[in-house]
């Protein structure tokens, strides 16, 4: 891709494939047998870390997900295929249940340097569950100098500080020359890279109001706290069944509407509240929000012969979520603002239930691994295919981690390509007792099995969250 590529063409490159492999009778393997530099752990020496999950209970997946920023120690490419590390200021997803349980990432300090990067918590729900998520945005924009959350495209400023209250809006103003991108003019201020939202990729739910609404723009405000918003969100979450979710702004509690109005009016760019007013008057869901936003929807479950409120149900499988702030999607994903969204069907004929029973009848256990592939980088550049050459493909925030298996083990790998531009070819390297590789196998794009020489049998069971026919595997 050249630097002249359009933003749309670039985003098209970021379409993500999710797939699952049910693998049987493996021996220990590593994705790489390369040595390492002293600066970072040797590839093939770290065991894959499991990403913490937030799971549904009683038919409801409830979570508080906060966008934060902090320094992270990121594995990066180095000469001769070695591993180095780099310290980067990154935005990331922090999540937990409202009761404080199932926290990810853990609140622990790294022994040396800063914690590793990685995806947000894995969200796991069942067909028919209600998803109730409070999104908070606690990013400190001034930690990301010269982004348009600080240098708004409707203000001309010469410093990295936020516009002073009462600054007069200049609709035709041009940002300073070192603000990226320089060609945004009001009202097309797309590059608010510290603003955020959540896109639930692959879900068959409403794309409007409190559903999978990618037009929502949540501005950062560290003063909007969980304890302040959950009482209002509880009232909203009580009406999230299919066919009963909010349809217009007036359906939300007045407490929340008044709170958001006050926060927007307090912003220097007061035009945002005027835009919301115009949208509400026209019966359109308002775009601009500050500090927090309530997501709620029900995952549709269609069952033959049972009374349904939907004509088509959700496909269970490996899905994902990410920040989809228009104009900054690539930058947010380069920072790591993505995670797995697993939707299961444990019924007798369901995808998950049938797989687990198949192996249970053989006296074998089916173990799951969630693998999220990401490029982690702090360079804001949406028009370059390889930003600065510093972007390695990481797995759960690690470079070439190892999954241990024993002969006869059966595992289900849920793989999500959350890279911005990298295609991830899959290959398997056999290690004997953790030593040098003895054999390798590379799968074809179609469902298939690895050659016997690898000591590894695998079959693809799904792609993009849609299951292949049972006879294939």
């Amino acid at each position: 891709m050249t630097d002249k590529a359009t933003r749309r063409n670039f985003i098209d490159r970021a379409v993500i494939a999710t797939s699952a492999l049910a693998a049987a009778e493996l021996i220990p393997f590593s994705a790489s047998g390369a040595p390492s530099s002293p600066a970072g752990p040797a590839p093939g020496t770290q065991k894959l870390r499991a990403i913490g999950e937030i799971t549904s209970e009683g038919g409801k997946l409830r979570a508080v997900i906060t966008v934060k920023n902090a320094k992270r120690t990121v594995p990066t490419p180095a000469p001769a295929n070695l591993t180095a590390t780099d310290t980067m200021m990154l935005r990331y997803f922090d999540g937990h249940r409202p009761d404080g349980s199932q926290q990810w990432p853990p609140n622990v300090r790294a022994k040396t340097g800063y914690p590793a990067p990685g995806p947000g918590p894995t969200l796991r729900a069942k067909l028919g569950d209600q998803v109730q998520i409070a999104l908070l945005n606690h990013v400190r924009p001034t930690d990301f100098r010269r982004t348009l959350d600080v240098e708004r495209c409707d203000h001309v400023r010469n410093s990295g500080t936020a516009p002073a209250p009462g600054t007069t809006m200049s609709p035709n103003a041009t940002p300073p020359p070192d603000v990226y991108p320089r060609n945004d003019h009001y009202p097309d201020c797309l590059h608010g890279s510290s603003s955020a939202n959540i896109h639930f990729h692959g879900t068959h739910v409403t794309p409007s109001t409190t559903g999978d609404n990618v037009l929502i723009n949540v501005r950062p405000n560290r003063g909007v706290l969980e304890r302040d918003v959950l009482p209002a969100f509880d009232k909203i979450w009580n009406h999230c069944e299919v066919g009963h979710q909010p349809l217009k702004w007036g359906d939300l509690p007045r407490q929340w509407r008044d709170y958001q109005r006050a926060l927007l009016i307090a912003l220097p760019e007061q035009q945002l509240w005027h835009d919301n007013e115009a949208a509400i008057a026209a019966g359109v869901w308002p775009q601009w929000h500050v500090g927090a936003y309530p997501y709620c929807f029900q995952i549709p479950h269609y069952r033959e012969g049972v009374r349904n409120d939907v004509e088509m149900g959700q496909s269970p499988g490996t899905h994902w979520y990410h920040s989809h702030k228009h104009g900054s999607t690539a930058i947010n994903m380069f920072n790591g603002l993505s995670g797995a969204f697993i939707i299961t069907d444990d019924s007798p004929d369901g995808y998950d239930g049938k797989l687990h029973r198949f192996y249970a009848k053989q006296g074998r256990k089916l173990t799951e691994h969630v693998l999220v592939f990401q490029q982690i980088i702090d360079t804001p550049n949406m028009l370059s295919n390889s930003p600065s050459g510093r972007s390695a493909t990481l797995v759960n925030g690690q470079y070439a981690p190892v999954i241990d298996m024993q002969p006869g083990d059966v595992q289900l790998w849920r793989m999500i390509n959350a890279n911005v531009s990298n295609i991830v070819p899959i290959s398997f390297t056999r290690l004997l007792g953790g030593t040098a590789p003895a054999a390798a196998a590379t799968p074809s794009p179609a469902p298939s099995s690895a050659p016997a020489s690898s000591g590894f049998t695998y079959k693809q069971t799904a792609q993009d969250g849609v299951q292949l026919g049972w006879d294939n595997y």
Side-chain angles (χ1 to χ4, degrees):
M1 180 179 297
T2 68
D3 288 341
K4 295 182 179 179
T6 65
R7 180 175 292 163
R8 171 52 53 196
N9 287 337
F10 182 81
I11 295 300
D12 288 344
R13 292 287 304 274
V15 174
I16 307 302
T18 59
S19 60
L21 294 177
E25 300 199 20
L26 280 76
I27 64 173
F29 90 100
S30 167
S32 172
S36 172
S37 73
T45 61
Q46 287 184 312
K47 289 190 176 182
L48 178 77
R49 69 169 176 169
I51 301 301
E53 295 193 351
I54 300 177
T55 57
S56 65
E57 184 176 2
K60 296 180 180 179
L61 174 63
R62 303 192 71 184
V64 177
I65 295 181
T66 305
V67 188
K68 299 181 178 180
N69 68 280
K71 289 184 178 180
R72 291 289 185 259
T73 299
V74 182
T76 58
N81 294 322
L82 302 179
T83 306
T85 59
D86 198 356
T87 299
M88 302 181 189
M89 176 63 73
L90 300 172
R91 306 165 187 88
Y92 65 95
F93 281 135
D94 180 286
H96 60 268
R97 278 183 173 178
D99 62 9
S101 65
Q102 297 186 316
Q103 172 76 35
W104 179 265
N107 293 319
V108 295
R109 289 183 175 273
K111 293 181 180 179
T112 59
Y114 298 97
T122 295
L123 305 179
R124 187 178 290 265
K126 299 180 177 66
L127 293 182
D129 282 353
Q130 289 184 39
V131 176
Q132 303 174 351
I133 293 178
L135 174 66
L136 279 71
N137 189 347
H138 287 179
V139 171
R140 184 183 290 106
T142 51
D143 287 341
F144 302 92
R145 186 174 180 271
R146 298 306 199 189
T147 70
L148 289 181
D149 273 312
V150 175
E151 301 282 3
R152 294 293 299 170
C153 75
D154 49 9
H155 297 85
V156 174
R157 301 284 292 178
N158 294 316
S159 69
T161 59
T167 302
T168 302
M169 181 177 61
S170 304
N172 298 317
T174 301
D178 57 344
V179 174
Y180 179 86
R182 297 188 299 275
N183 55 350
D184 274 3
H185 297 274
Y186 183 85
D188 300 317
C189 306
L190 294 177
H191 188 68
S193 54
S194 291
S195 295
N197 58 24
I198 300 180
H199 173 32
F200 302 90
H201 210 279
T203 52
H204 292 183
V205 301
T206 176
S208 184
T209 66
T210 61
D212 181 26
N213 191 340
V214 299
L215 299 181
I216 294 303
N217 188 319
V218 182
R219 297 291 305 280
N221 187 322
R222 296 163 62 86
V224 177
L225 304 178
E226 178 180 339
R227 65 172 181 262
D228 298 329
V229 304
L230 286 187
F233 287 5
D234 277 331
K235 296 177 183 179
I236 299 169
W237 290 342
N238 288 334
H239 303 282
C240 289
E241 300 89 352
V242 170
H244 300 281
Q245 65 269 17
L247 298 179
K248 59 183 184 299
W249 185 244
D251 292 338
L252 300 185
R254 176 171 290 278
Q255 170 192 5
W256 176 248
R257 289 181 282 137
D258 290 347
Y259 183 50
Q260 281 296 300
R261 179 179 182 274
L263 289 172
L264 282 164
I265 288 176
L267 291 176
E269 57 272 24
Q270 295 180 13
Q271 180 64 36
L272 300 185
W273 169 246
H274 298 323
D275 289 348
N276 272 13
E277 274 191 316
I280 294 167
V284 177
W285 195 260
Q287 176 183 6
W288 299 100
H289 308 266
V290 177
Y293 189 79
Y295 287 95
C296 68
F297 53 85
Q298 185 174 23
I299 301 171
H301 188 191
Y302 180 85
R303 289 169 288 183
E304 194 72 36
V306 178
R307 183 182 179 277
N308 287 276
D309 293 325
V310 295
E311 296 183 3
M312 183 178 72
Q314 170 74 47
S315 174
T318 304
H319 304 277
W320 66 296
Y321 67 95
H322 65 93
S323 181
H324 200 288
K325 166 64 183 74
H326 282 179
S328 296
T329 303
I331 295 174
N332 284 175
M333 289 182 61
F334 272 135
N335 274 214
L337 289 178
S338 55
F341 185 18
I342 309 302
I343 300 176
T344 63
D345 182 355
D346 298 320
S347 64
D349 293 324
Y351 173 63
D352 305 271
K354 194 171 182 178
L355 270 179
H356 283 276
R357 281 196 316 280
F358 176 83
Y359 290 108
K361 288 180 180 178
Q362 302 177 20
R364 309 167 86 181
K365 180 183 177 181
L366 181 63
T367 302
E368 288 194 19
H369 289 294
V370 176
L371 311 177
V372 182
F373 299 87
Q374 294 175 301
Q375 296 165 279
I376 302 295
I377 191 68
D378 59 357
T379 303
N381 191 343
M382 294 179 289
L383 301 180
S384 172
N385 191 32
S386 181
S388 302
R390 298 166 56 211
S391 177
T393 294
L394 307 181
V395 185
N396 294 2
Q398 299 170 293
Y399 184 70
V402 171
I403 298 176
D404 287 333
M405 298 190 71
Q406 300 299 322
D409 283 356
V410 184
Q411 296 189 359
L412 176 69
W413 294 348
R414 298 184 180 272
M415 300 189 294
I416 297 173
N417 183 0
N419 284 293
V420 171
S421 58
N422 280 2
I423 296 172
V424 182
I426 302 299
S427 64
F428 305 99
T429 300
R430 174 182 177 180
L431 297 182
L432 298 177
T435 59
T442 302
S444 65
S448 59
S449 297
S453 61
S454 70
F456 184 100
T457 300
Y458 74 89
K459 298 207 174 180
Q460 183 179 350
T461 65
Q463 185 164 323
D464 287 338
V466 179
Q467 290 73 54
L468 304 178
W470 180 264
D471 291 342
N472 287 316
Y473 58 89

